Amino acid sequence: FAQRDAPRPLAGRHALVTSGPTHEAIDPVRYIANRSSGKQGHAVAAALAALGARVTLVSGPVRLTDPAGVTVVPVETAAEMLAACRAALPADIFVAAAAVADWRVDGAAEQKLKKDGGGPPALRLAENPDILATLSAPGPERPALVIGFAAETNDVQTYARAKRQRKGCDWIVANDVSPATGTFGGDRNSVHVIRADGQEDIWTDLPKTEVAARLATAIVDHFGNGKI
Ligand code: CTP
Ligand code: CA
């Protein structure tokens, strides 16, 4: 009943969401990763689907069940995540919630690295493509609304405002990932939502599912206000 009668204000819209960490190979058995659980990105995907959007969720390795009604594209590396996002375009909405590894190992070993008595290997790193900046760039395929996340410590708002401009996205959802906040891997989040038009909202100490629901509602309002 509730399902059938639920309003679907995002019906006809395609939302592309990234979530989770990426894993960057060192050799066939080892990788560089980060502490992202994917909880926030998966919750955003679920919230957008619940409002009627067609949702493609490009996710790094996570220990979560696939959200209902969402097409999940599993990836491991940043390069794979970018390719999967490009392949999923066009989209009306892009939400970059993944904690993409900033660096990969340049020339990962094809065989397992062995201790050879010569001391530990030096890993040379190469910078990964910036998926958010790439999809934010002006062009015919740019989604109408591009939303980034920002994991910051210290002066969260100042860093996040600068990051939004640098990336070229419309909104940025910034959270404080200082270890004391327990954000990474936890179930709750406190965020600043910073928009290109200067509007800023602060949502404090909410379940990640509630942050997702509020973000989805803000997205509905945005499209409803004819700002597209
Ligand atoms: N992001 C991305 N591709 C990358 C790095 C980041 O798409 N290679 C996205 C994230 O999904 C997030 C936003 O960019 O939406 C900000 O990520 P963050 O790590 O906070 O920013 P960086 O630009 O990587 O800056 P830094 O880690 O140095 O603060
Ligand atoms: Ca980063």
Side-chain angles (χ1 to χ4, degrees):
F1 248 98
Q3 278 296 75
R4 196 188 62 204
D5 294 334
R8 296 172 63 81
L10 294 176
R13 307 255 182 214
H14 179 210
L16 174 61
V17 180
T18 66
S19 184
T22 63
H23 286 185
E24 310 294 334
I26 296 170
D27 68 15
V29 298
R30 306 181 179 100
Y31 56 83
I32 296 173
N34 62 64
R35 295 187 191 282
S36 170
S37 65
K39 284 177 184 168
Q40 188 63 78
H42 276 55
V44 170
L48 293 170
L51 295 180
R54 177 168 75 83
V55 180
T56 305
L57 175 60
V58 178
S59 177
V62 293
R63 298 168 69 172
L64 298 172
T65 49
D66 293 351
V70 166
T71 301
V72 178
V73 182
V75 298
E76 288 206 354
T77 67
E80 289 169 7
M81 188 172 274
L82 175 59
C85 286
R86 281 201 164 118
L89 293 175
D92 304 289
I93 302 153
F94 176 50
V95 182
V100 183
D102 291 324
W103 303 288
R104 67 180 178 278
V105 176
D106 193 13
E110 282 174 21
Q111 271 85 43
K112 183 184 170 189
L113 297 172
K114 302 289 285 179
K115 287 176 289 186
D116 62 3
L123 298 180
R124 196 176 62 212
L125 302 180
E127 192 160 327
N128 271 330
D130 190 318
I131 299 162
L132 175 59
T134 303
L135 269 68
S136 290
E141 292 246 274
R142 187 192 191 277
L145 181 61
V146 177
I147 305 173
F149 274 70
E152 306 290 353
T153 58
N154 307 316
D155 193 349
V156 174
Q157 268 164 300
T158 307
Y159 284 126
R161 286 184 197 122
K163 190 167 281 179
R164 191 200 62 73
Q165 286 194 318
R166 200 164 62 239
K167 303 267 184 176
C169 57
D170 302 300
W171 304 353
I172 207 152
V173 181
N175 54 5
D176 187 340
V177 294
S178 306
T181 65
T183 298
F184 260 51
D187 289 319
R188 299 178 80 82
N189 212 350
S190 294
V191 302
H192 296 263
V193 183
I194 291 165
R195 308 188 191 205
D197 66 5
Q199 185 183 332
E200 297 193 5
D201 295 308
I202 302 176
W203 301 338
T204 304
D205 194 25
L206 297 170
K208 287 179 176 176
T209 48
E210 177 61 21
V211 170
R214 289 191 186 193
L215 190 63
T217 301
I219 290 168
V220 170
D221 291 345
H222 175 81
F223 283 107
N225 288 342
K227 290 183 200 159
I228 41 173

